[in-house]
Amino acid sequence: MTAPDAGRGIWDGEETRTFTGLPRNSFRILHVSTGNVCRSPITERLTRHALADRLGDPLWGGVVVESAGTWGHEGAPMEANAETVLAEFGADASGFTGRELLDEHVIMADLVLTATRDHRQQVISMGHSAGLRTFTLKEFTRLVKAIDPATLPPLEEGLVTRARALVRAAAALRGWLLAPTAEADEVFDPYGAPLPFFRSIGDEINEALDPVVTALTGVPARA
């Protein structure tokens, strides 16, 4: 297992982690796909964009959003079509470099959202008690839609507290709310595809993220 280094952050107990330059009490979302150049970068940057749009806080109330790939192209730039899609949503694609998924990423994540069920299984197989906090993106969306927002802590108690409660509630529902088809929880890989297909994947990801960010923040998307 690769231990977290001092520059990325260290364990400081289950409920509090210390991260260089970040709030002590933070909530980390990790998006996972295969190469970390298409789906997970789009999802990462759309999540950041949506959080900033809802909350306006540069640190989004302590939420940190990252991504990595199970066969990540370490140091690679985002695919050009992915950048174009993000620009069309008004999201920032700058400064991105691909990463290979490491143990430390899973260890530090409070919520892991994967593009496919296979990615989810790969994350869970790494250990680190990841099963209860790892979902496909669309699976998590389906579960979140079934959660009554009134049962979550109010935002006044902190976004981190609300986010952790949301993950626990979603995990409790898993097994009760099954996907209608095996493909319903998948986001297909647009790598090498033309821009129109990238756009369709971007729309799919954005649609799946909207109820998740609304549940996290308690703030709906602007009309």
Side-chain angles (χ1 to χ4, degrees):
M1 180 182 77
T2 304
D5 59 71
R8 298 294 298 259
I10 59 173
W11 276 106
D12 190 24
E14 177 62 27
E15 290 300 316
T16 57
R17 301 176 174 91
T18 300
F19 297 94
T20 303
L22 295 173
R24 179 179 180 83
N25 192 30
S26 56
F27 182 90
R28 296 181 86 97
I29 301 173
L30 176 66
H31 293 294
V32 175
S33 61
T34 303
N36 193 216
V37 292
C38 298
R39 288 169 291 181
S40 51
I42 291 173
T43 316
E44 172 196 315
R45 295 307 174 94
L46 285 180
T47 304
R48 292 185 184 186
H49 180 68
L51 286 167
D53 183 63
R54 312 289 175 94
L55 301 177
D57 181 350
L59 283 178
W60 307 301
V63 177
V64 181
V65 187
E66 302 175 309
S67 64
T70 55
W71 291 90
H73 300 173
E74 189 71 31
M78 190 186 308
E79 281 288 292
N81 282 344
E83 290 189 353
T84 299
V85 167
L86 287 172
E88 291 174 351
F89 278 105
D92 183 12
S94 65
F96 180 87
T97 55
R99 302 193 304 175
E100 181 179 357
L101 180 66
L102 301 176
D103 291 87
E104 67 180 77
H105 303 144
V106 177
I107 289 169
M108 293 191 292
D110 296 283
L111 172 62
V112 184
L113 296 176
T114 69
T116 69
R117 292 167 298 156
D118 182 60
H119 296 134
R120 182 186 65 193
Q121 187 54 44
Q122 290 181 65
V123 172
I124 293 172
S125 71
M126 295 172 73
H128 317 304
S129 303
L132 290 177
R133 51 195 168 93
T134 302
F135 310 79
T136 74
L137 170 63
K138 288 186 173 181
E139 173 192 22
F140 194 66
T141 300
R142 186 177 69 253
L143 298 173
V144 162
K145 285 181 174 179
I147 296 169
D148 182 355
T151 64
L152 298 173
L155 197 57
E156 289 76 17
E157 294 185 19
L159 188 56
V160 170
T161 298
R162 183 182 177 94
R164 289 179 178 152
L166 182 67
V167 173
R168 289 193 298 269
L173 286 174
R174 185 155 47 189
W176 294 93
L177 294 175
L178 301 179
T181 66
E183 291 75 25
D185 284 343
E186 308 272 302
V187 176
F188 293 108
D189 193 354
Y191 185 76
L195 182 57
F197 188 67
F198 266 84
R199 286 187 173 123
S200 70
I201 293 298
D203 288 340
E204 197 174 320
I205 290 170
N206 191 61
E207 183 178 349
L209 281 174
D210 179 67
V212 172
V213 177
T214 297
L216 278 171
T217 63
V219 181
R222 297 181 186 180

